[in-house]
Amino acid sequence: MGVWYLLTLLFAGAALSKPTYRRERIRPELELRDLLHDDNQSFQYDHETFLGREDAKSFDQLTPEESREKLGKIVERIDYDKDGYVTAEELKSWIKRVQKRYIYENVAKVWRDYDTDKDNKISWEEYKQATYGYYLANPEEFQDGNDQFSFKKMMPRDERRFKTADLDGDMAATREEFTSFLHPEEFEHMKDIVVLETLEDIDKNGDGFIDEDEYIADMFAHEEGGPEPDWVASEREQFSDFRDLNKDGKMDKDEIRHWILPQDYDHAQAEARHLVNESDQDKDQRLSRDEILENSNMFVGSQATNYGEDLTRNHDEL
């Protein structure tokens, strides 16, 4: 899911339209962390992981009765061996498929906007003009210091990431290279960029490390004199016990990588086990259709998602 999440510029309209600046993380571990703080109430992370973000957003379009019917059809798809039960392994495969679908559909949605010469590649110049062209052509309209700084900072940062994604060095991204540019957390050769941009986002004093206060400030805006929530105290303990591995009071790049891209953690597997453990009423380590439907609030919400598009997809392409 990614993820998981760095600063990205998304712009409405075609090339040279006036850009809208928006911060969007592509660091899944950090986004997951924020969702889990609220998950006891909303199950938001479960919904987005099980359904995909776009489908999860539309959960309120169906009545509870319709949602249960659609969920039942999804269960039939997940039950790969057709034995009437869903295992953690089948759920894991489904979640990975949903994540992969989201990534490639996201790229497909924006591809035509950037491939302006229709040569089935996106050059850096095409991306730069589509993304920053208005800013470059009309600098006088960006008098606000924050806007000026944001665009001036993000263009070389995007170029650095583009060059890393461009494996053959021709400054023209194939679809796969452009996918790694937009979703670097999914590609091994891009993970140094994920770590570096994470460091740049959180390291406010510019010393090349993330200390405990910077770590906390990234997730919690502390009011002067106000108390910290219990979960913030827990995060401070996490920093001390599990983030700062060499106990020098700060995280270096290796420790940041261990934090946001842990090699020994499979989020799809963890979420699949979580869904089974929470819904397995007879404790046989598998879920019947009835067990899933009876716990539909965890999977899809009290009112479910718009499954219509999902049910007509050819999932074999994933």
Side-chain angles (χ1 to χ4, degrees), residues 129-142:
Q129 285 302 313
T131 305
Y132 299 99
Y134 190 95
Y135 163 69
L136 293 171
N138 303 276
E140 69 282 355
E141 293 192 25
F142 295 83

Side-chain angles (χ1 to χ4, degrees), residues 42 98 125-126 155 160 315:
S42 69
V98 167
E125 285 301 317
E126 284 177 313
M155 189 164 65
R160 180 182 65 191
H315 288 286

Side-chain angles (χ1 to χ4, degrees), residues 25-288:
R25 288 264 171 94
I26 57 171
R27 299 201 300 275
E29 195 278 346
L30 304 190
E31 188 167 84
L32 178 153
R33 177 194 66 195
D34 295 335
L35 289 172
L36 290 183
H37 288 151
D38 188 49
D39 203 42
N40 289 335
Q41 299 298 324
S42 69
F43 302 118
Q44 183 182 358
Y45 177 69
D46 296 316
H47 301 165
E48 292 189 3
T49 306
F50 180 71
L51 301 171
R53 175 169 298 181
E54 294 305 315
D55 283 345
K57 285 180 180 178
S58 59
F59 76 95
D60 60 351
Q61 295 181 8
L62 300 177
T63 66
E65 293 75 18
E66 290 172 329
S67 73
R68 285 172 61 87
E69 179 183 354
K70 299 297 186 182
L71 177 57
K73 293 179 180 180
I74 289 290
V75 171
E76 293 175 5
R77 288 187 176 276
I78 300 172
D79 179 19
Y80 185 76
D81 61 9
K82 306 303 178 186
D83 67 349
Y85 294 93
V86 170
T87 64
E89 194 62 29
E90 287 172 326
L91 268 174
K92 172 185 170 181
S93 296
W94 171 264
I95 290 168
K96 285 184 176 293
R97 188 164 56 187
V98 167
Q99 178 185 0
K100 187 175 180 181
R101 185 190 73 205
Y102 166 76
I103 290 170
Y104 284 96
E105 286 183 350
N106 173 253
V107 173
K109 285 178 181 178
V110 302
W111 182 266
R112 286 182 298 178
D113 293 335
Y114 292 120
D115 182 19
T116 54
D117 65 5
K118 309 305 177 189
D119 67 347
N120 208 31
K121 284 189 173 185
I122 294 172
S123 69
W124 166 247
E125 285 301 317
E126 284 177 313
Y127 179 81
K128 183 175 72 173
Q129 285 302 313
T131 305
Y132 299 99
Y134 190 95
Y135 163 69
L136 293 171
N138 303 276
E140 69 282 355
E141 293 192 25
F142 295 83
Q143 300 301 320
D144 184 281
N146 290 331
D147 283 347
Q148 187 74 250
F149 175 78
S150 296
F151 288 105
K152 189 175 293 186
K153 174 184 175 183
M154 289 307 299
M155 189 164 65
R157 180 160 153 159
D158 269 356
E159 184 174 11
R160 180 182 65 191
R161 193 201 293 183
F162 192 97
K163 288 179 177 178
T164 304
D166 178 29
L167 292 176
D168 60 9
D170 64 353
M171 293 301 285
T174 63
R175 192 170 290 259
E176 189 73 3
E177 288 172 335
F178 196 65
T179 301
S180 72
F181 170 72
L182 292 182
H183 299 275
E185 75 285 348
E186 296 296 323
F187 295 81
E188 190 62 38
H189 69 283
M190 299 295 293
K191 289 185 177 179
D192 284 345
I193 285 289
V194 176
V195 171
L196 179 58
E197 292 187 9
T198 301
L199 174 62
E200 292 173 345
D201 290 348
I202 302 177
D203 174 27
K204 300 306 181 185
N205 64 15
D207 67 351
F209 300 92
I210 297 175
D211 61 34
E212 181 179 319
D213 288 339
E214 290 169 332
Y215 173 79
I216 296 298
D218 183 60
M219 68 183 88
F220 175 68
H222 192 281
E223 296 182 7
E224 187 173 352
E228 289 186 345
D230 290 343
W231 67 263
V232 173
S234 176
E235 286 289 352
R236 290 192 182 278
E237 292 180 2
Q238 287 284 316
F239 183 89
S240 176
D241 295 342
F242 302 108
R243 309 299 183 217
D244 178 20
L245 299 176
N246 63 7
K247 308 307 177 188
D248 65 352
K250 54 192 177 183
M251 283 193 287
D252 58 25
K253 288 182 180 179
D254 288 338
E255 289 166 325
I256 294 169
R257 177 185 286 266
H258 186 269
W259 168 37
I260 62 172
L261 300 168
Q263 293 183 348
D264 57 351
Y265 182 77
D266 184 330
H267 91 277
Q269 183 178 63
E271 176 64 9
R273 289 174 176 173
H274 165 66
L275 290 171
V276 170
N277 289 339
E278 293 295 323
S279 306
D280 182 18
Q281 296 175 354
D282 59 12
K283 305 305 178 186
D284 64 352
Q285 302 301 308
R286 58 185 184 174
L287 300 180
S288 67

